[in-house]
Amino acid sequence: MKYFIIYLVVINLIAFLAMYIDKRRAKYGKWRIPEQTLFVLALIGGSIGAIAGMYTFRHKTKKLRFSIGFPVILVLQIILIISIWNDFFA
């Protein structure tokens, strides 16, 4: 459990920083982080960091794919965690 929490903290920090880096690169016309990479970071547990980065840096908030996709991923992850938790402690 301890390592799972550490993993979640690290992956969310990475997702948050990825949104920051992509925003800065977009601002200066540099090479961008692929959208698929941002979604993979959210899918592997960084959805909270991705959402926080999206709204903190006002990045990709107008793209429905992100403004709906990231929260949907988060809700599905919460449902998955609750169901796994219930299986272990029911």
Side-chain angles (χ1 to χ4, degrees), residues 40-56:
V40 167
L41 288 170
L43 282 168
I44 62 172
S47 55
I48 293 173
I51 292 168
M54 184 172 66
Y55 288 106
T56 299

Side-chain angles (χ1 to χ4, degrees), residues 9-58:
V9 169
V10 170
I11 196 65
N12 278 285
L13 284 172
I14 291 170
F16 184 81
L17 289 173
M19 294 300 281
Y20 170 74
I21 291 166
D22 194 51
K23 174 66 176 192
R24 286 196 44 93
R25 289 180 177 173
K27 198 173 184 180
Y28 295 107
K30 294 184 177 181
W31 174 84
R32 305 279 303 278
I33 296 173
E35 290 184 352
Q36 181 179 355
T37 301
L38 298 174
F39 270 100
V40 167
L41 288 170
L43 282 168
I44 62 172
S47 55
I48 293 173
I51 292 168
M54 184 172 66
Y55 288 106
T56 299
F57 308 117
R58 293 187 207 142

